[in-house]
């Protein structure tokens, strides 16, 4: 389980690196490059190494390996997207659609990672972690996957009510509503997911290493 702790640490800091978006970009006629002071690709590689190592854990439940294979593929896709982010160019409709589908795929892989961690926690008798990952899975599913897929379908059929966004700009109160809505749907699942990773690391240490 010492290896799992290290893998979770890789995943945790890989996510943090991707979130810390400090970059410099230069473009000419909409074409150029972006230089990340803390490269996203570094975080993506760390996440890939972490999930790939965890996927090799010997777990009796076959759903663990099945889910982790999907997660590893999602991590690989994140590496590809991170490389693509170095370049600024005019995206075709096809490229935009591919990126949107890839984004949904990665979001689904996050939910499946939570499911895999539930299986791992149950098999290793990590009761608190099992509860935390169940909560994380529900948050990711309800606040990430369902809204993302729903909005993507609306955008494909050009029926998203964009006028709602403009109506929200009418006064400061609406800005506050918009801020807390974004926090709920974007940050809350992510923050709790990071919390679940850290709590699992702690429980592994307390259960197996002390």
């Amino acid at each position: 389980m010492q290896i799992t702790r290290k893998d979770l640490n890789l995943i945790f800091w890989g996510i943090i690196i991707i979130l810390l978006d400090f970059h410099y970009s230069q473009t000419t006629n909409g074409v150029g490059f972006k230089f990340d002071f803390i490269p996203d690709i570094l975080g993506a590689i760390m996440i890939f190494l972490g999930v790939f190592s965890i996927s090799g854990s010997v777990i009796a439940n076959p759903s663990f390996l099945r889910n982790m294979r999907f997660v590893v593929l999602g991590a690989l896709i994140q590496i590809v997207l991170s490389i693509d982010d170095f370049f600024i160019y005019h995206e075709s409709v096809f490229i935009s659609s591919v990126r949107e589908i890839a984004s949904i795929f990665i979001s689904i892989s996050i939910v499946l990672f939570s499911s895999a961690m539930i299986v791992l926690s149950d098999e290793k008798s990590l009761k608190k972690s099992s509860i935390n990952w169940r909560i994380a899975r529900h948050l990711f599913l309800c606040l990430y996957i369902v809204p993302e897929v729903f909005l993507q379908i609306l955008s494909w059929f050009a029926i998203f009510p964009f006028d709602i966004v403009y109506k929200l700009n009418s006064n400061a109160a609406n800005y506050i509503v918009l801020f807390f809505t974004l926090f709920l749907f974007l940050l809350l699942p992510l923050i709790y997911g990071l919390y679940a990773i850290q709590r699992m690391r702690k429980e592994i240490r307390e259960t197996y290493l002390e």
Side-chain angles (χ1 to χ4, degrees):
M1 294 302 287
Q2 176 68 18
I3 296 176
T4 302
R5 287 185 69 241
K6 294 179 178 178
D7 297 333
L8 291 171
N9 202 40
L10 277 174
I11 296 169
F12 179 88
W13 288 110
I15 294 172
I16 295 296
I17 288 174
I18 291 177
L19 291 177
L20 295 176
D21 189 20
F22 300 107
H23 66 270
Y24 166 80
S25 61
Q26 182 173 345
T27 60
T28 302
N29 296 324
V31 178
F33 68 93
K34 184 177 76 171
F35 174 77
D36 272 318
F37 294 101
I38 307 177
D40 287 354
I41 190 172
L42 174 61
I45 291 174
M46 291 172 66
I47 293 171
F48 171 77
L49 292 175
V51 298
F52 182 78
S53 180
I54 290 176
S55 69
S57 301
V58 180
I59 302 296
N61 192 326
S63 67
F64 174 82
L65 181 58
R66 184 170 59 249
N67 288 339
M68 286 306 299
R69 285 174 177 169
F70 198 100
V71 173
V72 170
L73 181 56
L76 278 174
I77 292 174
Q78 182 62 57
I79 291 176
V80 174
L81 292 181
S82 297
I83 295 174
D84 183 64
D85 283 341
F86 282 117
F87 308 99
I88 301 173
Y89 55 91
H90 300 292
E91 287 188 356
S92 65
V93 175
F94 174 75
I95 294 296
S96 296
S97 298
V98 169
R99 288 181 65 89
E100 290 165 356
I101 293 173
S103 178
I104 293 175
F105 189 97
I106 291 172
S107 296
I108 294 174
S109 72
I110 294 174
V111 175
L112 293 180
F113 178 74
S114 299
S115 297
M117 291 303 96
I118 292 170
V119 174
L120 179 63
S121 298
D122 289 341
E123 184 149 328
K124 301 301 180 181
S125 300
L126 304 172
K127 297 180 180 179
K128 294 179 181 178
S129 295
S130 180
I131 294 172
N132 288 333
W133 282 113
R134 280 179 166 81
I135 295 173
R137 182 175 62 181
H138 287 313
L139 288 175
F140 281 119
L141 182 62
C142 296
L143 301 183
Y144 264 12
I145 302 300
V146 174
E148 183 175 7
V149 172
F150 178 69
L151 291 176
Q152 191 57 63
I153 292 174
L154 292 181
S155 68
W156 284 340
F157 291 96
I159 56 177
F160 181 79
F162 290 104
D163 60 312
I164 292 177
V165 177
Y166 296 104
K167 290 178 181 178
L168 283 172
N169 293 330
S170 59
N171 55 58
N174 286 330
Y175 277 114
I176 295 175
V177 172
L178 180 60
F179 171 79
F180 281 105
T181 301
L182 291 175
F183 173 81
L184 178 65
F185 281 91
L186 299 179
L187 295 182
L188 182 58
L190 183 58
I191 291 173
Y192 194 88
L194 291 172
Y195 167 77
I197 291 174
Q198 289 298 85
R199 290 296 301 173
M200 188 175 190
R201 290 181 64 248
K202 181 179 180 181
E203 190 172 10
I204 290 173
R205 183 181 69 248
E206 294 173 346
T207 304
Y208 290 94
L209 302 180
E210 292 185 351

